[in-house]
Amino acid sequence: MADILKISDATALALHSMVHLAIEPDGQSTTAEIAELFKASRHHLAKVHQRLTKAGLINSNRGPAGGVSLAKDPESITLLEIYEVMEGSMLCNPCLFGNDTCPRNDCVLGNLLPGLARQVRDYFEKTTIAQLAQESTWGKVDASEPPSQD
């Protein structure tokens, strides 16, 4: 079942970075800012950003006014595209042993694995960064909570 959804730390950072950039009012942030936000290694995130830049998903600008920004419209960037840049093809392997088909006529888990694998792939294929940014509550103030009295 581990093959249904395998997301490395690098891929998690890539997904979170991309949504963060879609939410940012000016559409840009530095790798250091994003690393701090997600409590990640700046060096590790820089490598993630290099891969996203090479794939044409983000732009990277050096210098005092530099940073990273989305290279494409967030409506056109799917989770699957980001996942496959970072992890390679998303395989929908229906067997716990990694086989294309079960060596038995009846899998002990029935149709659970193929169904889950298809559901995960469909979600990643249909969900865009723009959708996640729109649904996100990152940085939004909850009106139901009173302001802090610091």
Side-chain angles (χ1 to χ4, degrees), residues 97-141:
F97 296 114
N99 299 318
D100 289 335
T101 57
C102 190
R104 296 173 40 98
N105 290 334
D106 56 336
C107 179
V108 296
L109 296 177
N111 289 327
L112 176 67
L113 295 181
L116 282 176
R118 175 76 342 217
Q119 187 176 359
V120 168
R121 184 173 176 84
D122 286 349
Y123 179 81
F124 272 62
E125 203 168 35
K126 293 175 184 172
T127 305
T128 66
I129 294 302
Q131 289 171 299
L132 295 181
Q134 184 177 5
E135 295 169 5
S136 174
T137 59
W138 295 348
K140 295 179 183 172
V141 177

Side-chain angles (χ1 to χ4, degrees), residues 53-115:
T53 300
K54 188 174 181 178
L57 294 178
I58 64 173
N59 295 314
S60 179
N61 300 304
R62 293 178 177 245
V68 292
S69 60
L70 295 178
K72 297 172 27 176
D73 181 355
E75 288 282 344
S76 70
I77 303 171
T78 65
L79 298 183
L80 184 63
E81 186 175 6
I82 298 165
Y83 179 93
E84 290 188 339
V85 164
M86 301 304 297
E87 303 281 348
S89 293
M90 181 181 275
L91 303 175
C92 293
N93 199 331
C95 181
L96 289 172
F97 296 114
N99 299 318
D100 289 335
T101 57
C102 190
R104 296 173 40 98
N105 290 334
D106 56 336
C107 179
V108 296
L109 296 177
N111 289 327
L112 176 67
L113 295 181

Side-chain angles (χ1 to χ4, degrees), residues 18-41:
M18 298 288 286
V19 172
H20 172 75
L21 292 171
I23 291 170
E24 276 297 292
D26 65 356
Q28 183 170 308
S29 193
T30 66
T31 297
E33 290 167 342
I34 297 171
E36 184 177 323
L37 179 66
F38 296 116
K39 310 272 188 277
S41 159

